């Protein structure tokens, strides 16, 4: 389908496919279907870094040199022109190397993802205190001001320092959250995570969609033990109302800040629905002890598995 | 011949063969995938019913290449519930009026329009991906794969209903033009016209009965599956059919399976328990204990999409009668096995 409406919808999901990946299989289509011209082209089934699989054109001068397992990088490419002359661009993939690279695995990272107010910080605190010999929290780099009620989870830096670190490639996962008053940035440094690995522990990070995707694409989806935390409630509305209740009762944020957080929380809940493949386990945070026991079970399982 | 002509001929032959008359038929179910796209014809239930003197109630079933067997499965549900007593099931497809590009685009309707089609993939392309991966995982060679279509062509020589009644030596398969690497022209089932009809009844006696009819589904897009060298829908449908009939794979003597592409025959044999994973080719390199696609399969018999699933059941029935065997199995799937329907037949 190449009408403007379907092309527009396709554009909305296109950005997710802009990731490096590995060739699972490939074929050269010698007889294109209607609307795809008459010249043969090569299509790959690609496993992207976040674990999703997609179909995409492979850009290579010589199809005979392509092999399963090769690494590829995304590139925009003209795919088809419809009858009205509307040009359709899609993500194609360029072969990165002729040598199939080995998938590097350096260790596990526990990622807790969930909307603001769901209790990510509390869960991570409980986990690091009560299973401290196995896990350690990774400090979050942030440009926002320190506030009363903050736990010791943040490392505060200026916006300039943050931008410099990001440019230098030290920050491997980053998210910028625009609020009414200022733009706040949060990020994780690779060296903080590596330091925890060197102690033989599993790093615990608190993430949202951008941070989670950043970590998955830097360390590989396989490294991330991804837990989604949901507030109790049978419907989205009930979940949002229990979040609002928690945000108000913890008294850390002003009313306009809470409004901001609720807006983001709505997006986060949608993200849970749309990107299920990014989560290994979904946990409803209705009772802290149950959540802790559940997480501890997983931690012990992976703590015994040695890093390669 | 038009879609209507094809159906009329199949219906007349089925009624001739059956132990009942046209007027006993109380329901008609038509399996068809591409009527609108290739013939400008929808509303096939009523069209088929109008070919009978008394115009019984009628409906159409669609599940891509599994439309035929899903029509049979639907008939079983009506018969078991008591809603119907004698059902005429027709599978029909008219494909040769359209150009190859239009047929290729139409068949892509069986894949995922959001996830598969935008890349410019075709069905040979999807099975090209599956074949390349299978060869990578199991070390299957081009020479081994040649044996599959060669065997199916040899089986079709004596079948008067086959589209290609010619034997083709194995080495010729590997020399045919590439369609979607590593698949070549003679790995692919052809574009065909055809119709098949069977009559199922709970009140008329027959020497052959359906012992099981089971249906299973999977993700339509192969991008949403963890593996592409095995089809879980096939495994599930077969396992449930064996359980319903109280049988094991070793009890089956005759198999008609869905070889839309040569690789699909190997994967299906493995998924249904006739070979271990990666060893499906052993049923082609050695003489097997069971008859596999004894009529020529989709490759040599032709693959008029929705007719195939009905035709397979008719063919298993004929082979059980002529070979005096007890149990036979028909496996028909749609897309890259996103729908799979398995029927087991018992000959008294």
């Amino acid at each position: 389908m190449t009408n403007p409406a379907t092309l527009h919808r396709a554009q909305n999901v296109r950005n997710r496919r802009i990731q490096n990946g590995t060739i699972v299989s490939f074929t050269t289509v010698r007889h294109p279907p209607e609307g795809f011209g008459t010249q043969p082209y090569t299509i790959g089934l690609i496993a992207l870094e976040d674990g999703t699989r997609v179909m995409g054109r492979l850009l290579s001068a010589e199809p005979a040199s392509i092999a399963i397992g090769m690494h590829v990088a995304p590139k925009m490419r003209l795919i088809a022109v419809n009858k009205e002359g509307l040009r359709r661009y899609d993500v194609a993939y360029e072969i990165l190397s002729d040598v199939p690279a080995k998938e590097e695995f350096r260790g596990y990272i526990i990622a807790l993802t969930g909307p603001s107010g769901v209790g990510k910080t509390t869960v991570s605190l409980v986990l690091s205190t009560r299973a401290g010999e196995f896990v350690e929290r990774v400090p979050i780099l942030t440009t926002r001001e320190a506030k009363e009620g903050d736990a010791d989870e943040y490392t505060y830096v200026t916006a300039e320092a943050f931008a410099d670190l990001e440019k230098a490639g030290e920050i491997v996962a980053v998210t910028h959250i625009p609020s009414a008053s200022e733009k706040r940035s949060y990020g994780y440094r690779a060296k903080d995570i590596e330091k925890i690995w060197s102690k033989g522990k599993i790093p615990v990070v608190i993430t949202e969609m951008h941070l989670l995707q950043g970590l998955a694409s830097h360390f590989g989806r396989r490294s991330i033990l991804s837990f989604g935390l949901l507030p109790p409630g049978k419907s989205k509305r009930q979940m949002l109302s229990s979040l609002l209740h928690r945000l108000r009762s913890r008294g850390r944020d002003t009313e306009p800040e809470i409004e901001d957080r609720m807006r983001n929380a709505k997006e986060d809940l949608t993200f849970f629905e749309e990107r299920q493949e990014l989560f290994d386990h979904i946990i409803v945070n209705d009772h802290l002890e149950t959540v802790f026991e559940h997480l501890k079970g997983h931690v012990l399982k992976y703590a015994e598995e040695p890093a390669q | 011949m038009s879609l209507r002509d094809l159906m009329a001929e199949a219906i007349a032959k089925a009624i001739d063969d059956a132990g009942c008359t046209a007027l006993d038929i109380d329901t008609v179910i038509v399996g068809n995938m591409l009527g609108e796209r290739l013939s400008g014809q929808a509303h096939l239930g009523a069209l088929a019913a109008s070919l009978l003197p008394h115009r019984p109630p009628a409906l159409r079933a669609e599940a891509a290449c599994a439309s035929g067997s899903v029509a049979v499965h639907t008939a079983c549900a009506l018969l078991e519930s008591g809603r119907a007593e004698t059902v005429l099931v027709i599978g029909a497809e008219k494909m040769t009026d359209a150009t190859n590009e239009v047929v290729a685009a139409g068949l892509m309707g069986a894949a995922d329009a959001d996830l598969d089609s935008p890349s410019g993939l075709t069905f040979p392309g999807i099975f090209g991906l599956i074949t390349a991966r299978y060869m990578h995982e199991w070390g299957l060679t081009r020479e081994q794969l040649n044996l599959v279509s060669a065997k199916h062509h040899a089986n079709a020589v004596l079948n008067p209903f086959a589209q290609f009644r010619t034997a083709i030596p194995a080495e010729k398969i590997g020399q045919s033009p590439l369609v979607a690497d590593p698949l070549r022209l003679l790995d692919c089932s052809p574009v065909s016209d055809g119709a098949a009809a069977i009559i199922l009844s709970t009140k008329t006696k027959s020497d052959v009965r359906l012992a099981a009819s089971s249906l299973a589904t999977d993700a339509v897009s192969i991008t949403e599956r963890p593996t592409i060298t095995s089809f879980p829908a096939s495994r599930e449908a077969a396992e449930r059919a064996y359980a319903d009939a109280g049988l094991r794979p070793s009890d089956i003597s005759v198999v008609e399976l869905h070889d839309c592409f040569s690789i699909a025959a190997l994967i299906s044999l493995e998924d249904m328990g006739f070979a271990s994973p990666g060893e499906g080719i052993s049923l082609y390199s050695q003489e097997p204990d069971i008859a596999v696609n004894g009529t020529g399969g989709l490759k040599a018999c032709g693959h008029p999409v929705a007719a195939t699933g009905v035709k397979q059941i008719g063919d298993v029935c004929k082979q059980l009668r002529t070979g005096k065997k007890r149990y036979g199995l028909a496996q028909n799937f749609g897309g890259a096995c996103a729908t799979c329907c398995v029927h087991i037949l018992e000959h008294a």
Side-chain angles (χ1 to χ4, degrees), chain B residues 13 24-25 27 29 53 70 79 101 120 137 149 201 206 208 210 225 229 235 237 252 256 267 271 278 296 299 307 317:
Chain B
K13 288 204 170 131
D24 290 318
I25 294 166
T27 308
I29 303 179
V70 167
L79 292 166
E101 296 74 34
E137 285 181 17
S149 293
S201 178
S206 169
V208 176
L210 275 178
R225 299 189 197 168
T229 52
R235 276 207 304 272
I252 306 289
E256 286 288 322
I267 292 176
D271 286 334
K299 172 64 200 83
C317 175

Side-chain angles (χ1 to χ4, degrees), chain A residues 17 23-34 36 41 43-45 52-57 68-69 79 88 90, chain B residues 37 101-102 104-105 115-122 125 128-129 132-133 136 178-181 222-223 225-226 228:
Chain A
R17 309 173 64 222
I23 300 177
V24 176
S25 191
F26 66 100
T27 185
T28 300
V29 174
R30 310 275 168 165
H31 304 281
E34 201 181 9
F36 288 87
Y41 43 78
I43 294 177
L45 173 61
T52 51
R53 289 181 170 195
V54 296
M55 297 290 181
R57 294 281 177 96
I68 288 175
I79 291 287
R88 188 158 75 79
D90 200 2
Chain B
R37 184 116 185 198
E101 296 74 34
V102 172
L115 301 176
D116 301 330
S117 314
S119 61
L121 207 56
T122 55
L129 291 168
R133 185 72 204 181
H136 175 78
L178 279 162
V179 173
D181 312 35
I222 61 167
T223 64
R225 299 189 197 168
I228 59 171

Side-chain angles (χ1 to χ4, degrees), chain A residues 266-282:
Chain A
K266 248 182 234 168
E267 269 180 45
D268 285 343
L269 290 181
T270 316
F271 176 68
F272 268 74
E273 276 170 13
E274 285 179 357
R275 303 300 308 277
Q276 290 168 7
E277 75 280 359
L278 284 176
F279 300 101
D280 300 316
H281 305 278
I282 300 280

Side-chain angles (χ1 to χ4, degrees), chain B residues 92-146:
Chain B
E93 211 76 57
K94 173 72 192 177
M95 303 174 79
T96 59
D97 282 350
T99 62
N100 286 338
E101 296 74 34
V102 172
V103 171
L107 289 172
M108 272 310 278
D112 191 310
D114 291 335
L115 301 176
D116 301 330
S117 314
S119 61
L121 207 56
T122 55
F123 253 94
I126 291 175
F127 277 88
L129 291 168
I130 291 167
T131 309
R133 185 72 204 181
Y134 188 100
M135 288 176 151
H136 175 78
E137 285 181 17
W138 297 110
L140 180 80
T141 64
R142 179 66 251 179
E143 287 66 37
Q144 288 177 304
L145 190 58
N146 291 345

Side-chain angles (χ1 to χ4, degrees), chain A:
Chain A
M1 291 297 217
T2 51
N3 65 50
T6 46
L7 292 187
H8 180 73
R9 279 201 302 273
Q11 236 168 26
N12 293 338
V13 291
R14 195 170 64 192
N15 291 351
R16 288 186 203 160
R17 309 173 64 222
I18 305 182
Q19 295 178 47
N20 287 7
T22 313
I23 300 177
V24 176
S25 191
F26 66 100
T27 185
T28 300
V29 174
R30 310 275 168 165
H31 304 281
E34 201 181 9
F36 288 87
T38 52
Q39 292 303 308
Y41 43 78
T42 302
I43 294 177
L45 173 61
I46 318 252
L48 298 177
E49 280 172 337
D50 71 0
T52 51
R53 289 181 170 195
V54 296
M55 297 290 181
R57 294 281 177 96
L58 292 179
L59 308 173
S60 165
E62 192 39 70
S65 66
I66 302 174
I68 288 175
M70 280 182 173
H71 282 206
V72 294
K75 202 174 184 184
M76 294 307 272
R77 175 87 174 189
L78 180 68
I79 291 287
V81 182
N82 79 353
K83 276 192 212 114
E84 292 76 34
L86 192 60
R87 296 157 79 80
R88 188 158 75 79
Y89 290 86
D90 200 2
V91 181
Y93 296 88
E94 209 171 24
I95 308 289
L96 277 184
S97 67
D98 291 354
V99 190
K102 264 191 283 176
E103 198 169 292
E104 207 184 333
F105 176 76
R106 299 166 63 196
Y108 286 113
I109 299 170
I110 294 176
L112 303 172
T113 311
S116 196
V118 75
K120 299 183 294 282
T121 308
T122 315
V123 169
S124 79
L125 263 173
V126 169
L127 195 63
S128 62
T129 345
R130 288 166 58 180
E133 67 261 52
F134 304 115
V135 300
E136 185 173 326
R137 288 188 304 148
V138 183
I140 310 172
L141 229 54
T142 179
T143 61
R144 81 158 164 79
E145 297 281 315
K147 260 192 293 195
E148 203 163 316
D150 275 0
D152 61 344
E153 73 239 61
Y154 295 109
T155 305
Y156 304 97
V157 294
T158 62
E160 293 77 39
F162 193 96
D164 286 346
L165 285 169
E166 201 181 343
K167 243 181 260 165
E170 287 200 29
I171 298 180
V172 291
V174 66
T175 181
H176 304 286
I177 299 176
S179 73
S181 47
E182 45 160 2
K183 192 173 140 188
R184 291 170 288 133
S185 303
Y186 297 85
Y188 284 110
R189 276 185 300 199
K191 74 171 187 200
D192 291 330
I193 290 171
E194 283 154 3
K195 204 165 95 193
I196 297 171
W197 275 338
S198 70
K199 295 182 205 167
K201 293 186 188 180
I202 304 179
V204 180
V205 291
I206 290 171
T207 60
E208 43 67 84
M209 54 180 149
H210 300 290
L211 290 170
L212 183 61
Q213 281 169 336
L215 289 167
S217 79
H218 186 82
F219 293 105
R221 172 69 181 85
R222 237 190 94 200
S223 298
I224 316 288
L225 300 172
S226 177
F227 295 90
L229 284 180
L230 281 181
K234 285 199 185 92
S235 66
K236 225 185 236 187
R237 248 181 79 187
Q238 283 181 0
M239 289 186 196
L240 288 170
S241 107
S242 79
L243 284 179
L244 183 63
H245 177 74
R246 285 188 196 191
L247 284 173
R248 287 212 169 118
S249 58
R250 80 180 179 190
R252 205 165 84 183
D253 307 285
T254 62
E255 201 54 30
E257 280 172 342
I258 288 180
E259 262 172 50
D260 259 359
R261 285 175 184 276
M262 289 307 291
R263 232 191 325 273
N264 291 334
K266 248 182 234 168
E267 269 180 45
D268 285 343
L269 290 181
T270 316
F271 176 68
F272 268 74
E273 276 170 13
E274 285 179 357
R275 303 300 308 277
Q276 290 168 7
E277 75 280 359
L278 284 176
F279 300 101
D280 300 316
H281 305 278
I282 300 280
I283 305 176
V284 175
N285 188 13
D286 49 358
H287 182 235
L288 194 58
E289 276 309 310
T290 327
V291 173
F292 171 71
E293 286 305 322
H294 189 122
L295 275 171
K296 202 176 90 177
H298 287 291
V299 169
L300 292 178
K301 195 171 88 201
Y302 288 107
E304 280 156 15
E305 198 177 301
Q308 293 142 15

Side-chain angles (χ1 to χ4, degrees), chain B residues 3-4 7 28-37 39-51 55-62 90 92-93:
Chain B
L3 202 46
R4 181 204 305 262
M7 290 198 292
V28 177
I29 303 179
V30 180
N32 173 267
M33 176 187 181
L34 297 164
E36 295 89 337
R37 184 116 185 198
S39 314
Q41 180 70 64
H43 212 171
L44 291 167
L47 193 72
S50 73
L51 298 169
R55 294 196 207 92
L59 57 90
R60 167 184 173 180
E62 193 277 322
I90 309 151
E93 211 76 57

